[in-house]
């Protein structure tokens, strides 16, 4: 339809009837998006009709038309180009914005964002010149511009957008307008926009901070508070405590890994406020509130008396964001001055300061004190921010004083639940309390311990939490009625339960036991990964099938697995993608499958795939090269890297690790800096990945400094800035660190994105400070510097506790360094107890030698969480008997299989034969990792019983050792009785002779060579006749 015809079409209708019809249309078809072309057609005709309505200039009449007639079509941003082409006056546009503003809170976020994009499109002509403001023109000179032309839609404006609406002087006028201030005090701006708006308000003269809206005190810069009086500083500190919620993440990592959850600006503002005082009385500390987090170690040690510190415990215990050095210094000072923890109340009084306890002090407290404290809600809220080592001690104390799993689940705070050793969650004959289990957050391995018990105790699956349901085990279904399997799976869909590959593989068998359901959309999307488009045919088209696959957790399947390759191939065929070019519509359908497209597809598709690629976890080399090629071309919606802003970088942050020097050097340095400052703390990028950006911002050539320049002196303010890496070259860092103690700041600054050269300087500084080896207190703070230590360094260390071992291994050093650290720990006579084993974890357990493995006490395995299935056969052979002893008192319970499963790679055949009688439904991936000689000793009946519901998977794995050797040893006629399509067994008249090839004891597994000799009866008769005749 020609847009002009729509004017004629709508002109024929009565206005009131038209609005009523449009309202009905909007209500009935709001879920069906119109194409941009149809939106333009509708808006073109409706706009002209609207102008003919009497009193259309009055806000109520215009508002009715916008709300009930135009709104469904305005969500297409390009429609606003139509309004601009019609020369809609600013006064009229202002009324449209006011009408849209009236329904802002009722709109979905996506529609809000689309409408804002359209409004911005209208206000910015040619992408640069603002519209609707001219200081010299009456009617266009109002500085209440944000209220007039953006309203609540300002919540979606970026800093780059604001800078398009006016220069800094104009924006400052807008920002300070009382009408705008009133409006904005009720909005939630994007973080970087809020920071910028606050800067606009406070950077000029004559703006009192008392006029700053309460929510904007959270975004102040240090310069804005530098000239405050003491009284004003305390007043501001109280406003900050009242209005600024603490951000519980830092650089995309959890609080447990970050020394402080505060941003650089928040720390610097707090430090600036604290510096107004030389001594800190209880009254001042109470008034400072949250700003007390700006106290330096020197302030705590020298500017607060012991008496005043004890009197201020309640106030300091409410402060969030202490780093380990601050809380540790406060606790040590309190304890050394005689503070006694005699009961739960005195422990709870410490609040957030509890994070400052060292492990030995916390272990010295009685379990009764801990139990009393965790019953106090005001104390429990602080447990979530404790480091892992202290959380594990709390669990030890609580579990040691509670006799039954049900009581342990009841009393344990939610923040500690995931730290309970799974062996302590076996209920046995005891009935679990479903409500208590539902109220806690469990890991998948923990929930598997009691899933079978829960199935028996709770007939209504919908009453179970997502956390409990994720513990689904195949063995637990043995006692369930078949018709309930589908009911369980549908509940999992509603609760958005995430399962692993083995769980899904089992669940799909149960769901399809009596045929493929015709309502597969009612089941978890991840189940579709184990079905085909033909299975889905009764539910919907192959296009719908792959749209669901694109939203599923594709990582459930291994990256290069045949299943994933087959899914991608079928998807391309379904979408009729015959070339290597994928359009945006098909890219949306493919979703996560885009991550498996080769570099050739990425190149041919230009920028069409970037949105999906930015969500991928990793790339193959040819994909990385193709992404760089597409980005470098500039032929994407993001344009050339030279034109990027910080906002562009934020949208593409998932691809930043792929960018090489040739791309990074083209991105404006101010964009990189602004991104690091405002966005990096929320990104999922690691410190190492962020360091590549830092390297681009540092000068490539520089003179060696003779001394530290006056403007480069390293102060507490500098050490509290996460932009420190871009402010110092490696040479400047080396020079300016002289006479600076890093001990109290090390955990904080090692979260910063320092380059390798800068980290080397930090390590050298520590070496110079401690030539005889680092003290143990420093070892726990080394963080990412662990990767730079040498065997010689490690040989000087005194590692006396498992907590120190955990801190050293937490940052995942290379295997050689980790092995040296573990060896040093054991050489000093330390035990490989449960805490040490948890520190070593699955990642490093395979590094232990025979001597170290033999040091492990079976009881320690009971409280450790390990999976040695990827280790050498020798390691598995040593650990299995220990694990068997550790869990021997639970061998008669259903949970025993889940406990022993990680160690089964070392199990002898006789133990597997016994296990085959317990209906464990072993998954085939576990079966394939069993000892070869143990597998070969099993009969067909024993394997059938061992695998249970998973028996059919043997067909897919039959060519993998040792399954293939086992198949070859069986009679084909017996294998045929399994009805799963196994081939390769012995035919009648054949004899299998298995010769064993023995390898060294350190070998991963025993090798076997199977030879089949075909003895023809005729040959045998001929041989005998020759003997007789001779």
């Amino acid at each position: 339809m020609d847009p002009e015809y729509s004017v004629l079409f709508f002109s024929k209708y009565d206005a009131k009837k038209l609005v009523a019809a449009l309202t009905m249309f909007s209500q009935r078809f709001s879920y069906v998006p119109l194409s941009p072309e149809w939106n333009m057609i509708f808006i073109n005709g409706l706009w002209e009709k609207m102008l003919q309505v009497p009193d259309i200039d009055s806000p109520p009449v215009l508002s009715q038309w916008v709300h009930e007639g135009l709104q469904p079509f305005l969500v297409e941003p390009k429609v606003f180009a139509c309004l601009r082409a019609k020369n809609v006056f600013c006064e009229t546009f202002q009324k449209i914005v006011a009408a849209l503003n009236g329904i802002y809170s009722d709109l979905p976020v996506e529609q809000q964002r689309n409408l804002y994009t359209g409004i911005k499109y209208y206000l910015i002509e040619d992408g640069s010149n603002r519209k609707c403001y001219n200081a010299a023109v009456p009617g266009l000179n109002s500085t209440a511009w944000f209220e007039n032309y953006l309203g609540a839609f300002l919540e979606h404006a970026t800093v780059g957008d604001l800078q398009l609406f006016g220069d800094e002087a104009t924006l400052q006028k807008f920002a300070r307008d009382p009408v705008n201030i009133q409006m904005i005090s009720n909005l939630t701006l994007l973080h970087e926009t809020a920071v910028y708006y606050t800067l606009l308000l406070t950077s000029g003269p004559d703006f009192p901070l008392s006029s700053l809206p309460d929510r904007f005190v959270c975004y102040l810069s240090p310069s804005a508070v530098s000239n405050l009086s003491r009284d004003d500083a305390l007043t501001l500190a109280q406003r900050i405590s009242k209005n600024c919620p603490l951000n519980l993440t830092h650089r995309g990592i959890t609080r447990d890994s970050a020394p402080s959850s505060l941003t650089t600006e928040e720390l610097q503002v707090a430090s600036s406020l604290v510096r107004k005082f030389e001594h800190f009385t209880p009254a001042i500390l109470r008034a400072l509130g949250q700003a007390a987090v700006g106290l330096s170690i020197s302030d705590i040690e020298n500017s607060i008396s012991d008496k005043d510190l004890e009197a201020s415990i309640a106030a300091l215990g409410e402060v969030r964001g202490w780093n380990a050095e601050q809380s540790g210094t406060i606790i040590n000072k309190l304890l050394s001055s005689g503070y006694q923890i005699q009961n739960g109340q005195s422990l709870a009084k410490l609040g957030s300061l509890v994070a400052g306890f060292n492990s030995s002090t916390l272990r010295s407290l009685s379990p009764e004190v801990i139990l009393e404290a965790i019953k106090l809600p005001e104390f429990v809220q602080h447990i979530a921010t404790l480091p892992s080592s202290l959380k594990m001690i709390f669990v030890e104390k609580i579990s040691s004083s509670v006799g039954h799993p049900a009581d342990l689940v009841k009393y344990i705070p939610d923040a500690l639940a995931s730290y309970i050793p799974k062996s302590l969650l076996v209920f046995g004959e005891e009935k679990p309390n479903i409500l208590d289990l539902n109220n806690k957050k469990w890991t998948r391995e923990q929930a598997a311990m009691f899933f079978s018990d829960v199935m028996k105790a709770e007939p209504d699956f919908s009453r179970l939490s997502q956390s409990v349901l994720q513990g689904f085990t195949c063995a637990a279904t043995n006692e369930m009625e078949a018709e309930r399997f589908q009911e369980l799976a549908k509940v999992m869909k509603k609760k958005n339960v995430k399962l692993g590959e083995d769980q899904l593989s089992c669940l799909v068998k149960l769901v399809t036991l009596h045929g493929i359901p015709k309502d597969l959309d009612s089941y978890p999307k991840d189940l579709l990964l184990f079905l085909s488009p033909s299975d889905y045919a009764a539910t919907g088209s192959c296009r719908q099938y792959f749209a669901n696959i694109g939203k599923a957790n594709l990582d459930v399947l291994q990256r290069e697995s045949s299943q994933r390759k087959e899914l991608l191939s079928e998807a391309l065929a379904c979408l009729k993608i015959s070339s290597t070019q994928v359009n945006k519509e098909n890219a949306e359908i493919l979703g996560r499958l885009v991550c498996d497209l080769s570099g050739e597809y990425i190149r041919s598709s230009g920028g069409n795939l970037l949105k999906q690629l930015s969500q991928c976890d990793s790339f193959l080399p040819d994909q990385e090269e193709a992404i760089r090629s597409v980005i470098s071309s500039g032929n994407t919606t993001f344009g050339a890297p030279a034109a990027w802003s910080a906002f562009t970088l934020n949208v593409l942050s998932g691809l930043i690790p792929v960018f090489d020097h040739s791309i990074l050097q083209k991105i404006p340095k101010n964009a990189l800096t602004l991104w690091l400052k405002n966005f990096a703390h929320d990104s999922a990028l690691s410190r190492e990945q962020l360091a590549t950006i830092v390297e681009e911002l540092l000068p490539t050539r520089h003179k060696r400094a003779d001394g530290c320049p006056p403007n480069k002196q390293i102060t507490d303010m500098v050490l509290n800035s996460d932009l420190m890496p871009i402010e110092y070259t490696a040479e400047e860092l080396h020079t300016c660190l002289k006479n600076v103690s890093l001990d109290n700041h090390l955990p904080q600054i090692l979260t910063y994105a320092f380059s390798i050269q800068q980290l080397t300087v930090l390590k050298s500084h520590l070496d110079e400070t401690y030539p005889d080896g680092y003290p143990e207190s420093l070892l726990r703070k080394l963080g990412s510097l662990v990767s730079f230590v040498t065997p010689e360094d490690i040989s000087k260390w005194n590692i006396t506790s498992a907590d120190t071992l955990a801190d050293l291994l937490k940052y995942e050093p290379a295997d050689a360094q980790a092995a040296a650290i573990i060896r040093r720990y054991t050489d000093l006579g330390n035990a490989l107890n449960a805490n040490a084993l948890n520190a070593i974890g699955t990642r490093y357990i395979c590094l232990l030698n025979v001597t170290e493995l033999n040091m492990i006490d079976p009881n320690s395995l009971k409280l450790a969480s390990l999976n040695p299935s990827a280790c050498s056969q020798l390691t598995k052979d040593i650990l299995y008997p220990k694990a068997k002893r550790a869990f021997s008192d639970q061998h008669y319970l259903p949970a025993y299989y889940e406990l022993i499963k990680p160690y089964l790679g070392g199990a002898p055949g006789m133990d597997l034969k016994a296990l085959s009688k317990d209906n464990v439904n072993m998954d085939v991936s576990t079966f394939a990792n069993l000892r070869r000689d143990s597998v070969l000793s099993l009969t067909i009946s024993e394997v059938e019983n061992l695998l249970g519901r998973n028996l059919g998977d043997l067909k897919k794995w039959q060519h993998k050792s040792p399954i293939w050797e086992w198949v070859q040893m069986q009679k084909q006629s017996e294998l045929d009785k399994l009805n799963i399509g196994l081939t390769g067994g012995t035919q009648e008249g054949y004899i299998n002779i298995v010769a064993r090839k023995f390898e060294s004891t350190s070998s991963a597994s025993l090798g076997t060579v199977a030879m089949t000799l075909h003895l023809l009866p005729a040959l045998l008769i001929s041989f005998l006749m020759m003997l007789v005749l001779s």
Side-chain angles (χ1 to χ4, degrees), residues 296 423 623 652 688 694 811 935:
S296 66
S423 63
Q623 291 177 309
L652 292 173
E688 292 79 9
V694 167
Y811 289 89
V935 170

Side-chain angles (χ1 to χ4, degrees), residues 87-108:
N87 293 318
V88 173
F89 294 128
C90 290
E91 183 182 3
T92 304
F93 189 76
Q94 183 178 332
K95 292 175 183 176
I96 293 173
V97 171
L100 291 171
N101 201 45
I103 58 170
Y104 177 84
S105 59
D106 300 326
L107 298 173

